[in-house]
Amino acid sequence: MHKFNKSSYVHLEMLFFDIIGLIFSFVMSYFITNAVTLLHPMGSYVWLLVIYVPIFFFSMSLSNMYHKLTFNYYDRIVRNVFKASFLSALFVAAMIFYTNDELDYSRMFYSIFMLSAFVITVVQRIAVYRSKGSAVKNGVKKTIIIGVPSVIHKFEYFITKTNVKMDLAGYIQVESDEEELEAPTLGRLDELEEILKRHVVDEVIFAVGDQHIAKVEGAVALCEDMGITTRLVLNIYNLNISKTHFTAVGTLPMLTLHTVSLNVVELMMKRTLDILGALVGLFITGLASLVIVPLIKLDSPGPILFAQDRVGVNGRVFKIYKFRSMYLDAEERKKELMKQNKVQGGFMFKMDDDPRITPMGSFLRKTSLDELPQFLNILKGEMSLVGTRPPTVDEVSRYKTHHYRRISIKPGLTGMWQIKGRSEVTNFDQVVQLDTAYIDQWSVWLDIKIIFRTIIVVLTSKGAY
């Protein structure tokens, strides 16, 4: 009969205020500008709103700023409104540029509108958030919270940072021998039916831990029978780094725990960036090969390319390609040199003045030109432009459990390790920290910043040998 309401927390009130704020900014900017310099009738500039408003709303929606459960930290409000304002202003500027002055516009009016739209939107959003606590309770859901104190306290702490309005009728504790909650306490869990009949209740929120889920099963069924909306706040696992995503397969709820991004749009953008970067990189590799290939041949006997098994995402093994920078017996001699390994724990191998490196190889490594063939790995999808350092099979065989997070994403041509010191970083746990920090903070914008910083590092040969 009824479909699931996926938009139950859409903040229509905030959407309305944003529309009013942008229209007010437009009208106010027109009159301010018109007082300084003569403008055409206001209708001549309405095209600006037609372009600005949809882009603004689209950007704010992507940042979940029209969702009542979004946290309203002030810096988050300012950051996301600025991002939406900047993106909208960019589209308006592009429209002006490409229409060759066919549209009526005034630089002063344009500038005042962009500034006032940003300021007014930030101010009204903060005002709406701060007024939440003193809002009248008409139309607000009458709610009972059932659970354990530790989860209830956490839930209430988080809910105060959102735009959700709640009229709390009282609490019911799952276990009577636990820490007492502040009044009003309505009774025991086995008295729920009578409590619901005595009070006006629109929603029941179950805030339970992993030890009490089974105990509230009957209470959930009771609420269902009585037609009362039920929400479950599940504090099932003590998660330190995993993010959670809740969805459904048919009518079967599914909770997903993940430490890597599952955002399909962002992952598609990352792959697109990889393909474009790989195509440009292979073109540069082709040109550089005209010089590098003959020099490698003249320097020492052996193949031009060095291929080695490396471990990719979640244990997939692939062949990594580099311009050969070592003598042919490098792998055999590595065992003799392990005592001089600078990396603690032996998870990686780095040493000063490695005798296995050829004279030409030393130049290739200092300039990072030996890495150029890896653009082929990137084009094939085995690597990414930015990621974690690709480990060898032998390295992974020595990994401890927490080290495996490094291979939960594609390895990269560059990454945090490369821009934070490269070979100067000799503590493997520090390498792991840099890689996992990248995984936790990942975004397309972070990839772009790392790429630009890598270019600077390569040009200065910092940390390379």
Side-chain angles (χ1 to χ4, degrees), residues 99-115:
T99 53
N100 296 319
D101 297 337
E102 292 178 12
L103 296 171
D104 290 324
Y105 78 97
S106 161
R107 290 180 181 175
M108 182 182 293
F109 176 46
Y110 170 79
S111 301
I112 293 175
F113 171 64
M114 299 304 159
L115 179 61

Side-chain angles (χ1 to χ4, degrees), residues 118-141:
F118 168 72
V119 173
I120 288 173
T121 304
V122 169
V123 170
Q124 61 94 0
R125 275 184 167 269
I126 292 176
V128 169
Y129 168 58
R130 296 195 65 172
S131 67
K132 178 178 76 78
S134 58
V136 294
K137 294 185 177 181
N138 292 334
V140 179
K141 302 291 186 182

Side-chain angles (χ1 to χ4, degrees), residues 213-415:
I213 296 175
K215 296 178 182 178
V216 300
E217 185 176 352
V220 173
L222 172 64
C223 293
E224 182 183 21
D225 287 341
M226 296 181 67
I228 297 174
T229 298
T230 303
R231 303 185 189 275
L232 277 72
V233 180
L234 301 177
N235 190 35
I236 303 177
Y237 304 107
N238 183 20
L239 303 175
N240 296 318
I241 54 179
S242 288
K243 304 175 184 67
T244 59
H245 172 67
F246 196 77
T247 185
V249 180
T251 59
L252 184 66
M254 181 169 66
L255 181 66
T256 303
L257 313 176
H258 62 101
T259 60
V260 297
S261 175
L262 301 179
N263 188 310
V264 176
V265 175
E266 286 191 331
L267 292 175
M268 183 176 65
M269 291 171 65
K270 181 177 177 66
R271 182 58 185 149
T272 301
L273 184 64
D274 285 345
I275 293 172
L276 294 175
L279 292 174
V280 173
L282 288 173
F283 175 74
I284 295 172
T285 303
L287 295 178
S289 296
L290 299 176
V291 176
I292 293 174
V293 169
L295 291 176
I296 292 176
K297 277 294 185 184
L298 290 171
D299 185 53
S300 63
I304 301 299
L305 293 178
F306 170 74
Q308 185 184 42
D309 285 342
R310 293 291 180 102
V311 180
V313 59
N314 292 325
R316 292 171 175 83
V317 178
F318 67 98
K319 290 284 186 184
I320 196 173
Y321 300 104
K322 295 184 178 186
F323 282 125
R324 183 173 59 83
S325 60
M326 291 186 172
Y327 294 106
L328 292 179
D329 60 349
E331 286 301 311
E332 289 76 15
R333 296 175 64 186
K334 178 180 176 180
K335 298 175 183 178
E336 305 170 5
L337 301 169
M338 281 302 293
K339 293 181 180 179
Q340 301 179 53
N341 188 6
K342 293 177 61 178
V343 180
Q344 300 172 20
F347 290 101
M348 296 162 51
F349 182 83
K350 292 289 178 183
M351 65 171 289
D352 296 324
D353 302 320
D354 193 334
R356 302 173 302 156
I357 300 175
T358 66
M360 180 60 188
S362 178
F363 169 76
L364 292 175
R365 289 189 168 211
K366 285 185 180 295
T367 56
S368 297
L369 290 173
D370 63 318
E371 311 278 357
L372 288 178
Q374 290 173 42
F375 284 114
L376 180 60
N377 293 117
I378 295 171
L379 188 63
K380 291 168 65 179
E382 297 163 336
M383 292 179 61
S384 179
L385 286 175
V386 184
T388 56
R389 176 190 166 275
T392 64
V393 176
D394 179 60
E395 289 173 14
V396 174
S397 68
R398 304 180 188 182
Y399 276 7
K400 298 177 181 177
T401 303
H402 67 280
H403 294 152
Y404 277 86
R405 278 196 70 209
R406 297 188 64 242
I407 57 173
S408 62
I409 64 169
K410 286 182 184 179
L413 180 63
T414 186

